[in-house]
Amino acid sequence: MVNFYSPKKNKSSDASKSQLIGRRVTVTISHLDHLAQGVSADHDPLIFIEGVLPGETVEVEITEDRGKVCNARLLNILQPSEFRQLPFCEHVDVCGGCQTQHCQTDAMLQFKQAAIQNLILHTALDTNQSAPPAKRVLSKATRGGKNKKMRKFSDKQSNLDWQAALHSSPTGYRRKTRLSVDARNPDALKLGFRTKGSNKIFSLQQCPVLNQQLEQLIEPLQQMFAKLQTPSNIGHVSLLNADNGVQVCIRTIHSLSHQDCALCAEFAEKYGLQLILEDKQNRQEFVTQRDKQLAYEINPKLSLQIHNDDFVQVNPQVNQNMIKQAMDWLELDKSDAVLDLFCGIGNFSLPIAAQCDRLVGVEGVPKMVQRAQHNATINKLNNCHFIHSDLNSTKLSEHEQIETCNKVLLDPAREGALAVVKQLATLKPSHILYVSCNPATFARDAAQLIEKNYRLDKLCVMDMFPQTAHTELMALFVPLNKRK
């Protein structure tokens, strides 16, 4: 048989020919999706717009035609929402960080909860479906239509029991950040974040979501970098405010001169900082406070030692409330053996271990396993056992310590935990507590647990990153035959 060559269609080229692109339309926003984008469900095709709120009538320009959906940019707000407020940050028009500061905090929590509920209900309807795309989930319900598959879901899950959201102050909450440096023009050095939708860096003057200790370092850092002989040798700088000190880690592209190193050391001494220089090979040199080990408190009795490259929950108030609620929902007692999947350096593991008979933590990063064990040791918890294993391929039944666990907590990355969720029912745990930083992959994984005869007992929104589109949640699953 002869094979004839047929060139593939260029989707981007086809999209550029769309008659919708550039069109201005007036629409009403029906709701927000789980990425805090406004949705106009009455328009055909659906339109997604950033910076709008439910109930608003707005004029927009369509910028992208994706067939069933379109993206648009906001031109004018013709009828504003009662929940709209003036943004608090002077960088709101250029910074891509805090996308929802135009909305009152309490209202945004309600909008986020409604978006997650819609996502869960219309992803968990058909557990035979493949995972929804992480960016957007569409269903008949988006337009207010009914889905016949709802009966299949309602047989096992008649409603969602939402608990009060966990939240903190909307400003001054963030204890860790990373700032980029642009020193191509030494006379106009820029230290700040990347601009919205671009790789360009704007010079930061303030950042109200940073805690006070970190925000006060922005201007002095800019001044210090401007004095360096070769500021172009710096790529970015990471700031961390622990409970016992502040750390500045400067990532270098090329080695700094002795004079530049001396300037950095002088800066660190002046502000009482732990200063680290890190090169492209991730090799680190402690310039000041070499022997100081930073730590943060989990609760009044437990603390975690941390390194600059560790994953750290950036909102201490929400983190402590999250841990306390997890303990309450798991209903821990001294006879329990608990499995902590994606355990990291022990943020959940240690407080759980303090309340149960035995804790087994599993983590895919070897150095984090070592640090978790070290944290257990310095907190005098001898009932912890940590395992290094790739949770995307691990068979839980291969580990004897895991098989005897009766309760489970999992806190995966944005990709979710599909591989292990499919196995959890075989352990027959009485409680499965799922902490998620991605509602889309959570909804997919929740469908698997519901299919395995677990009920979504209760859940809540966790506003770990106030003023942003990012949403986290906590959910408890129990066996279907367990009484409510």
Side-chain angles (χ1 to χ4, degrees):
M1 180 181 291
V2 178
N3 292 322
F4 293 96
Y5 171 72
S6 178
K8 294 181 179 180
K9 292 184 178 180
N10 188 325
K11 292 184 179 180
S12 62
S13 176
D14 288 346
S16 66
K17 297 177 182 178
S18 169
Q19 295 181 353
L20 291 176
I21 294 178
R23 180 180 296 178
R24 295 190 174 196
V25 294
T26 298
V27 295
T28 299
I29 307 304
S30 56
H31 61 279
L32 300 187
D33 71 358
H34 67 287
L35 300 176
Q37 296 180 108
V39 182
S40 177
D42 293 333
H43 189 273
D44 190 9
L46 290 169
I47 298 182
F48 288 80
I49 313 114
E50 291 184 359
V52 297
L53 297 175
E56 292 188 327
T57 301
V58 296
E59 182 186 9
V60 301
E61 179 184 355
I62 297 176
T63 57
E64 185 179 12
D65 179 4
R66 305 180 61 174
K68 294 182 179 180
V69 300
C70 288
N71 290 333
R73 67 181 181 93
L74 177 63
L75 298 176
N76 295 298
I77 301 172
L78 305 178
Q79 182 178 334
S81 165
E82 62 180 308
F83 303 116
R84 181 170 285 276
Q85 65 181 10
L86 290 175
F88 56 82
C89 180
E90 66 181 68
H91 301 299
V92 64
D93 292 329
V94 293
C95 181
C98 298
Q99 307 96 333
T100 64
Q101 55 182 292
H102 59 282
C103 182
Q104 296 173 16
T105 300
D106 291 344
M108 181 53 66
L109 287 174
Q110 293 299 315
F111 294 148
K112 286 183 175 183
Q113 178 176 307
I116 295 172
Q117 170 145 325
N118 183 64
L119 188 63
I120 292 172
L121 291 176
H122 299 94
T123 302
L125 296 176
D126 186 355
T127 55
N128 293 319
Q129 294 293 320
S130 59
K135 289 186 177 180
R136 185 170 296 147
V137 175
L138 301 175
S139 67
K140 292 181 180 179
T142 309
R143 298 183 183 279
K146 295 181 179 180
N147 195 317
K148 294 180 180 179
K149 295 174 183 175
M150 180 65 80
R151 295 195 200 100
K152 178 178 180 180
F153 179 79
S154 61
D155 287 343
K156 297 180 179 181
Q157 185 79 50
S158 58
N159 69 306
L160 296 178
D161 186 3
W162 286 96
Q163 307 294 302
L166 300 183
H167 59 92
S168 66
S169 169
T171 58
Y173 68 85
R174 192 177 180 104
R175 65 178 167 196
K176 186 176 183 180
T177 194
R178 190 174 89 168
L179 303 175
S180 298
V181 178
D182 182 356
R184 289 173 295 179
N185 181 357
D187 296 327
L189 181 140
K190 296 177 181 178
L191 172 70
F193 299 124
R194 300 192 184 279
T195 59
K196 191 181 303 182
S198 169
N199 287 324
K200 294 181 179 179
I201 298 166
F202 71 91
S203 193
L204 191 66
Q205 301 303 313
Q206 62 162 350
C207 183
V209 299
L210 291 182
N211 65 30
Q212 188 175 19
Q213 291 90 333
L214 298 188
E215 187 179 28
Q216 290 177 345
L217 286 176
I218 295 173
E219 185 177 350
L221 275 169
Q222 290 172 334
Q223 295 172 354
M224 188 267 288
F225 287 150
K227 294 177 182 178
L228 298 180
Q229 287 182 324
T230 52
S232 58
N233 286 345
I234 297 175
H236 64 255
V237 55
S238 297
L239 309 179
L240 170 63
N241 184 23
D243 289 348
N244 60 339
V246 175
Q247 181 187 86
V248 174
C249 180
I250 299 175
R251 175 81 171 202
T252 59
I253 301 170
H254 302 290
S255 298
L256 300 183
S257 67
H258 291 299
Q259 181 177 334
D260 285 351
C261 286
L263 277 173
C264 291
E266 181 183 337
F267 170 83
E269 293 289 353
K270 178 180 178 180
Y271 290 94
L273 309 171
Q274 182 181 72
L275 180 66
I276 302 172
L277 297 179
E278 182 180 69
D279 64 18
K280 290 190 296 185
Q281 286 72 45
N282 299 320
R283 293 174 299 200
Q284 297 182 351
E285 176 187 354
F286 283 74
V287 179
T288 56
Q289 301 184 10
R290 299 173 186 273
D291 299 325
K292 187 170 187 175
Q293 180 62 62
L294 296 187
Y296 71 86
E297 191 177 86
I298 302 175
N299 60 41
K301 296 181 179 180
L302 299 171
S303 64
L304 280 182
Q305 288 189 358
I306 52 177
H307 292 231
N308 72 295
D309 56 348
D310 285 337
F311 171 78
V312 175
Q313 295 287 5
V314 302
N315 191 323
Q317 182 180 346
V318 172
N319 185 50
Q320 290 191 1
N321 291 338
M322 173 179 71
I323 293 170
K324 182 180 183 301
Q325 181 166 280
M327 305 301 101
D328 293 341
W329 286 14
L330 283 169
E331 299 179 296
L332 296 172
D333 62 45
K334 289 297 183 181
S335 65
D336 286 328
V338 182
L339 175 61
D340 182 5
L341 300 173
F342 310 92
C343 65
I345 60 174
N347 190 58
F348 284 107
S349 303
L350 271 58
I352 290 175
Q355 295 188 29
C356 71
D357 177 63
R358 186 166 54 88
L359 183 284
V360 179
V362 186
E363 172 58 50
V365 181
K367 65 181 179 181
M368 297 184 86
V369 174
Q370 296 170 4
R371 291 176 189 172
Q373 191 65 64
H374 174 71
N375 276 315
T377 300
I378 64 176
N379 282 277
K380 299 179 180 180
L381 294 169
N382 57 12
N383 60 339
C384 300
H385 178 71
F386 293 96
I387 299 171
H388 168 235
S389 188
D390 180 2
L391 287 166
N392 291 318
S393 59
T394 294
K395 291 184 178 180
L396 299 180
S397 59
E398 293 177 352
H399 300 278
E400 184 178 346
Q401 304 98 321
I402 290 178
E403 282 194 301
T404 55
C405 291
N406 66 307
K407 294 179 180 179
V408 177
L409 182 145
L410 62 157
D411 182 12
R414 292 188 60 79
E415 293 77 13
L418 186 60
V420 293
V421 162
K422 289 180 176 179
Q423 305 175 58
L424 287 183
T426 62
L427 301 178
K428 299 181 179 179
S430 63
H431 298 66
I432 299 174
L433 189 85
Y434 195 131
V435 178
S436 170
C437 61
N438 185 348
T441 53
F442 168 80
R444 175 202 65 193
D445 295 347
Q448 294 292 327
L449 291 172
I450 292 170
E451 178 71 6
K452 299 294 183 181
N453 291 320
Y454 274 83
R455 184 183 76 245
L456 182 46
D457 187 64
K458 51 190 171 185
L459 71 166
C460 77
V461 171
M462 300 191 302
D463 206 19
M464 190 69 74
F465 299 86
Q467 314 300 334
T468 75
H470 186 78
T471 304
E472 303 202 2
L473 62 98
M474 178 185 293
L476 176 68
F477 294 86
V478 298
L480 188 60
N481 56 7
K482 184 176 181 178
R483 287 187 176 182
K484 180 74 172 169

